[in-house]
Amino acid sequence: MNKQRPTLADVARVAGVSRATASRAINGEYGTSEESRDRVRAVAARLGFEPNAVARALATGRGSAGRRERIEILIVDDDPDAMSAKPFYGRVLTGAMRAVGDRDIAVEVRQVARPPALDDNVPFGRLLVNVAGEAGAAYARQGRTIALGRSAPGVTYVAPDNEGGGFQAAAHLVNTGRKRIGAVFGPQTPCAQERKAGFLRVTTGAARAVVSVDGDFTRATAYAAAKELLAREPLLDAVFAACDVTAMGVLRALREAGRRVPEDVAVVGFDGSTLAEAADLSSVYMPVEEEAASAVRHLLDPALPRPGRLPTSLTVRSSS
């Protein structure tokens, strides 16, 4: 009687990995570590396993029905204009595409007002943006997941040094002699709160008069917030905006109030986006593209070292 041909399940069992991992190790160039690929391929050779056409299809990133593997970028933002109004998201997509390169993997962007319920349509990997708490943890339990910024305990994340960036912005304003400092901070997200904490470390310690308003990273809210700051502190001589989009609203309010920038009021933003360059705005630069690329590389190969904090740097321009 002829011995039954070994199956992919046999290879996976002997190698001590899942069937999906065994398939990717034998046929693919992403999704497994070099150590796993070597071990699985050695077991396959020892057992005499030969991949079939379905397995080879998986190597190209396509399932048995011809569907491509995909990485989902899940963005939670209730601003309907977020994708066009906030350069941050375009930079995230740019970094993700760089990491995917010429692999035949789809990158899918999904913007929602609140985290959607889990379903059976699980992507190869999921990149979370503005997803915190139990929602982030639930996605992580379902499959490969990484977040931009802190999400939930146990969820791997990559983030810029937000607190350090806030510290740099405040130190610049204090060191250039500004004494009546205002701030339009961000929403109750980890990244925004880190920027706020870093900023207040300097301004509180320097005993400067700080007036602040919490915003939501939109231009309209920032405009209203800046008007409120001016009403509360008419001699305001500096404003920190927690993102560059926020800074655009602040600049509009200052212009309408007849306050000159930087002669009367210095303004510093946060992101280092093309908005900052176009407006000649001093801004804390964060390497968003590298942040997203690092996250996607980790999705493709979880054996890579866990990504951590990326450095930020203040670029001083004519606004301060």
Side-chain angles (χ1 to χ4, degrees), residues 203-242:
T203 51
T204 302
R208 296 300 197 274
V210 176
V211 290
S212 66
V213 178
D214 288 336
D216 58 5
F217 289 165
T218 65
R219 193 176 314 188
T221 298
Y223 170 73
K227 294 184 72 171
E228 179 181 338
L229 291 179
L230 289 168
R232 289 163 54 186
E233 179 53 76
L235 297 181
L236 193 73
D237 64 4
V239 178
F240 169 63

Side-chain angles (χ1 to χ4, degrees), residues 12-275:
R13 176 178 50 78
V14 175
V17 298
S18 69
R19 189 177 184 280
T21 297
S23 176
R24 291 189 175 102
I26 291 171
N27 302 291
E29 296 301 325
Y30 62 89
T32 57
S33 67
E34 183 176 355
E35 179 183 357
S36 294
R37 286 195 295 269
D38 290 344
R39 183 171 71 255
V40 169
R41 289 170 181 172
V43 168
R46 187 168 73 247
L47 297 180
F49 171 77
E50 295 183 2
N52 59 24
V54 172
R56 283 194 295 272
L58 287 175
T60 68
R62 296 179 184 273
S64 59
R67 294 177 298 180
R68 300 172 72 187
E69 295 276 21
R70 63 191 173 92
I71 289 177
E72 179 184 81
I73 302 177
L74 179 61
I75 299 170
V76 175
D77 193 320
D78 61 5
D79 178 5
D81 298 322
M83 296 304 295
S84 60
K86 300 177 181 179
F88 174 81
Y89 296 134
R91 297 177 67 190
V92 169
L93 181 57
T94 296
M97 296 300 294
R98 287 178 184 172
V100 168
D102 60 0
R103 297 177 179 88
D104 192 14
I105 306 174
V107 176
E108 178 182 287
V109 180
R110 185 180 184 189
Q111 184 204 342
V112 292
R114 58 192 58 83
L118 300 181
D119 57 36
D120 294 332
N121 188 22
V122 182
F124 172 80
R126 186 178 273 127
L127 178 60
L128 305 180
V129 184
N130 304 331
V131 181
E134 176 54 31
Y139 292 128
R141 289 192 294 269
Q142 190 181 47
R144 297 186 185 202
T145 303
I146 190 167
L148 295 188
R150 289 186 293 114
S151 176
V155 178
T156 300
Y157 72 90
V158 56
D161 181 11
N162 287 299
E163 187 167 340
F167 184 97
Q168 293 171 61
H172 170 64
L173 294 175
V174 169
N175 291 338
T176 53
R178 305 292 172 164
K179 300 184 182 302
R180 296 178 177 85
I181 301 173
V184 180
F185 294 123
Q188 296 297 313
T189 60
C191 70
Q193 294 306 301
E194 289 165 1
R195 296 173 196 182
K196 180 177 182 178
F199 187 83
L200 293 177
R201 274 172 50 202
V202 176
T203 51
T204 302
R208 296 300 197 274
V210 176
V211 290
S212 66
V213 178
D214 288 336
D216 58 5
F217 289 165
T218 65
R219 193 176 314 188
T221 298
Y223 170 73
K227 294 184 72 171
E228 179 181 338
L229 291 179
L230 289 168
R232 289 163 54 186
E233 179 53 76
L235 297 181
L236 193 73
D237 64 4
V239 178
F240 169 63
C243 80
D244 290 345
V245 173
T246 296
M248 297 303 106
V250 170
L251 290 171
R252 178 190 167 195
L254 292 173
R255 183 172 63 250
E256 291 183 0
R259 306 298 301 279
R260 298 171 300 165
V261 176
E263 292 85 356
D264 301 325
V265 184
V267 180
V268 176
F270 201 114
D271 279 344
S273 67
T274 54
L275 282 177

